[in-house]
Amino acid sequence: MYHTMDLSEAEQRARTREERRQIVERYDQGREDGVVIDDWEDPKFEIYHTQDRYGFIHDQRLPDDFGRSAREQKQLDKEMSRVDKWLKMLSEGNKWFPRGARHHEK
């Protein structure tokens, strides 16, 4: 791996151009036969199907979204509505967490 401190500005620009060229080349090739795709770049890589939304990795492939029970779907909907509420509260920070409040930094 290169360290940017060891490279001159011209070398850094050349390296950046080469990396961009390689990325564009990969997109142009797509998923044709014989194309080498790194595991971490492949959305079909199995680990992405065994990792839940919290980042825990399970032994078996997780069920698709349409395979959720009514109870699981209701719980997920409730969690997602809470996310929206928290994002709204954080964007209106001074309303919910005033500057002079005792626990503002917490």
Side-chain angles (χ1 to χ4, degrees):
M1 227 44 233
Y2 296 110
H3 295 287
T4 55
M5 300 296 288
D6 299 340
L7 300 175
S8 70
E9 191 173 329
E11 290 172 327
Q12 288 178 5
R13 277 192 241 120
R15 181 176 164 215
T16 301
R17 278 194 302 272
E18 178 61 24
E19 288 175 354
R20 287 180 182 163
R21 186 194 62 74
Q22 289 174 353
I23 291 170
V24 170
E25 185 178 302
R26 286 182 188 156
Y27 276 104
D28 288 343
Q29 290 175 348
R31 298 189 73 85
E32 296 173 359
D33 292 336
V35 174
V36 177
I37 300 174
D38 292 332
D39 289 339
W40 64 273
E41 293 178 323
D42 189 4
K44 294 182 179 180
F45 187 49
E46 194 62 28
I47 194 167
Y48 297 125
H49 301 287
T50 60
Q51 186 175 12
D52 65 13
R53 67 177 183 259
Y54 301 111
F56 294 106
I57 298 176
H58 301 273
D59 292 335
Q60 300 171 5
R61 185 181 179 103
L62 297 174
D64 294 327
D65 291 343
F66 61 85
R68 290 192 179 113
S69 68
R71 182 174 156 263
E72 290 172 331
Q73 187 61 43
K74 184 177 178 181
Q75 180 183 1
L76 180 63
D77 292 341
K78 190 174 204 175
E79 289 176 14
M80 295 311 293
S81 71
R82 289 177 178 163
V83 168
D84 293 338
K85 290 176 186 177
W86 270 102
L87 290 174
K88 183 179 177 185
M89 281 176 53
L90 291 173
S91 69
E92 300 170 351
N94 290 334
K95 177 179 176 183
W96 298 101
F97 310 106
R99 278 278 171 209
R102 182 175 168 198
H103 299 292
H104 177 73
E105 295 301 319
K106 290 184 179 181

